[in-house]
Amino acid sequence: MIRPKTAAERAARLNAILAGLDEMYPQAACALLHNNPWELLVATILSAQCTDKRVNAVTTALFAKYPTPADFAAVRPEVLALDIRSTGFFNNKAKSIVGAAKKVIADFGGRVPRTMEEMLTIPGAARKTANVVLGTGYGLAFGVVVDTHVQRISRRLDLTKQTDPVKIEQDLVRIIPQGGWILFSHQVILHGRALCVARNPKCTECKINSLCYAKDKTA
Ligand code: SF4
């Protein structure tokens, strides 16, 4: 494919990419099971280096055992670690979750805050986690979730040349309309799992193939 040269050509290509993602993943949504922003925050902390499926297998029983932030704040991290062992990195995750619960209670009246600035004061919540919780939990678009799939696919699609997630996010929010930030992340994460996988992407099945000039395209 010929690379776009002008701003208008780049904008047209981006619109076509977004339309292709809409066509492939019209119902894209967060795969982490949750009933409220607090549960989503816990699930997102647990999802680091772990599949959503495994997190969901743990959280059903976890949220029944600890129904509120106060319940998490009252447990010792080494005890909580036993409940979340199968998600990996359980000692650090347990410390983050108990710390987050204490912070939410001490500073935010027991409710997960609704701004990026406040979210970033919570233990275990860097920008990616904060964007997940604000976007999916509250429907507030402060940025784009940049996980490993969004990093890889944004580069493959030449939407960024950066490797640092914060800089990738800055590039994405500059070119994607704010109303599309939340859905874009969900769609690209699904695309990364279904077709645009790290090795040997399934390009023959990809509806944005004609717009992609990634070096590691397979078709
Ligand atoms: S054509 Fe291949 S590399 Fe490009 S976005 Fe589609 S699956 Fe990914």
Side-chain angles (χ1 to χ4, degrees), residues 156-157 191 195-196 201-203 206 208-209 212 214 217:
R156 274 181 174 159
L157 289 172
H191 190 45
L195 300 179
C196 198
K202 299 169 187 165
C203 302
C206 177
I208 50 176
N209 190 322
C212 176
K217 261 178 84 169

Side-chain angles (χ1 to χ4, degrees), residues 51-93:
T51 64
D52 289 352
K53 197 173 168 194
R54 187 171 286 273
V55 172
N56 290 340
V58 167
T59 49
T60 307
L62 189 70
F63 296 143
K65 188 171 179 182
Y66 307 102
T68 67
D71 298 304
F72 280 98
V75 68
R76 282 186 290 125
E78 54 271 34
V79 174
L80 180 62
L82 301 175
D83 293 304
I84 61 170
R85 204 176 176 88
S86 63
T87 67
F89 301 96
F90 44 88
N91 286 326
N92 281 342
K93 289 179 182 177

